[in-house]
Amino acid sequence: MKQTVLALTEMAATDVTSARKKPKHLPASKTTYAPLSSVWEGTDGELLEAIFRFYPTIDPEPILDSTYNTGRIWKGSSRQVVSMDIDRGYKPMIVGDNRKMAGVPNASFGTVVYDPPHVGPQGRDKSRKKFDVDFGATVECGKDHNWNLSYLYPPFLKQAKRVLKPEGLLLAKITDMVNNHRSKWPHCDFIRMAEDAGFTVCDLIVKIRNGPMVSSKWETAHHARKRHCFWIVCRNNDSCER
Ligand SMILES: C[S@@+](CC[C@H](N)C(=O)[O-])C[C@H]1O[C@@H](n2cnc3c(N)ncnc32)[C@H](O)[C@@H]1O
């Protein structure tokens, strides 16, 4: 496994020289610049491709997907992705905790992707539900953690910074949620924690979900149904632009 990552790392070192260069001094009509909308109605995979065309100042590959699961977001992609998941049942290339990233070399990836569980077993019902298991949301999420999973972010961010090359991108998919009639704002936590970890947070893209998540338990809840998540774009640098 370690060898796989090292091999990819060596390959990547030669690729950096072929990184996309921004065209300079072109008249407006001849620029290749195509803006990216801050609201995205397509799939995660399509958005990632758009992000890879728009933001990178170095080669975005190899990519470390640090919460791979079944790799739905890479369906149909030809990107060079190294998969990591804490659950060996998903058969990732690296079985490991993204808060430790044991054996992953420093400065070896052009991009780290992070799509953590957004909720875990809560309240009196500590049973493992199928949805939770399928999405890896089986980690502690109780009163000690203010009923949310933001406490997972700082150790992950430290490792993401370590394994990213200078100027590399960290792309995080974060979903807000409501617990016990109170809104939790993990996307705000993530932005603050990423800045604290030394990243520059460059963008926040709203990604629309087809239908809102609903439950019969929410009949009396007075909050808008969350029909979106956020993709947060961070750069391992002290500026968003080169
Ligand atoms: C929401 S799913 C990711 C879905 C994935 N992006 C896809 O497209 O299929 C979250 C995944 O993160 C994994 N996970 C949770 N905590 C982790 C940790 N500390 N380190 C590595 N993986 C973790 C879970 O096992 C789960 O497979």
Side-chain angles (χ1 to χ4, degrees), residues 43-85:
T43 65
D44 287 315
E46 289 162 349
L47 175 57
L48 285 173
E49 268 314 305
I51 285 175
F52 290 139
R53 284 195 296 272
F54 191 75
Y55 292 99
T57 51
I58 63 166
D59 191 333
E61 299 176 51
I63 299 162
L64 174 66
D65 185 338
S66 65
T67 50
Y68 187 74
N69 198 266
T70 57
R72 282 168 287 251
I73 51 178
W74 303 108
K75 206 171 164 216
S77 169
S78 56
R79 294 283 174 182
Q80 187 189 5
V81 179
V82 175
S83 52
M84 171 186 282
D85 203 290

Side-chain angles (χ1 to χ4, degrees), residues 116-205:
H118 66 271
V119 70
Q122 297 184 321
R124 282 186 292 269
D125 180 7
K126 292 271 193 334
S127 63
R128 287 179 149 221
K129 297 182 197 67
K130 186 173 181 317
F131 175 88
D132 293 342
V133 173
D134 285 354
F135 288 89
T138 51
V139 274
E140 182 57 46
C141 183
K143 193 175 175 193
D144 290 349
H145 299 297
N146 193 25
W147 310 103
N148 76 81
L149 293 174
S150 301
Y151 74 97
L152 298 173
Y153 304 158
F156 159 75
L157 285 160
K158 189 173 174 194
Q159 291 304 315
K161 182 147 179 70
R162 179 179 71 75
V163 304
L164 269 174
K165 296 175 188 177
E167 297 202 34
L169 294 177
L170 167 60
L171 308 176
K173 180 181 174 181
I174 304 290
T175 306
D176 291 334
M177 33 86 90
V178 175
N179 176 268
N180 199 18
H181 308 286
R182 303 186 96 136
S183 284
K184 304 291 173 190
W185 305 108
H187 87 277
C188 297
D189 297 336
F190 189 90
I191 289 173
R192 180 173 46 79
M193 291 168 176
E195 295 273 2
D196 287 349
F199 286 97
T200 299
V201 178
C202 301
D203 250 326
L204 181 66
I205 296 175

Side-chain angles (χ1 to χ4, degrees), residues 11 19 101 207 216:
M11 275 173 61
M101 297 204 192
K207 196 244 159 187
S216 56

Side-chain angles (χ1 to χ4, degrees), residues 179-238:
N179 176 268
N180 199 18
H181 308 286
R182 303 186 96 136
S183 284
K184 304 291 173 190
W185 305 108
H187 87 277
C188 297
D189 297 336
F190 189 90
I191 289 173
R192 180 173 46 79
M193 291 168 176
E195 295 273 2
D196 287 349
F199 286 97
T200 299
V201 178
C202 301
D203 250 326
L204 181 66
I205 296 175
V206 178
K207 196 244 159 187
I208 308 294
R209 189 185 290 127
N210 284 339
M213 289 199 277
V214 285
S215 162
S216 56
K217 287 187 196 161
W218 300 345
E219 274 166 18
T220 59
H222 294 284
H223 52 78
R225 298 286 187 263
K226 303 266 180 296
R227 206 161 70 76
H228 66 280
C229 62
F230 295 103
W231 274 95
I232 301 171
V233 180
C234 309
R235 195 183 296 285
N236 186 20
N237 194 11
D238 55 9

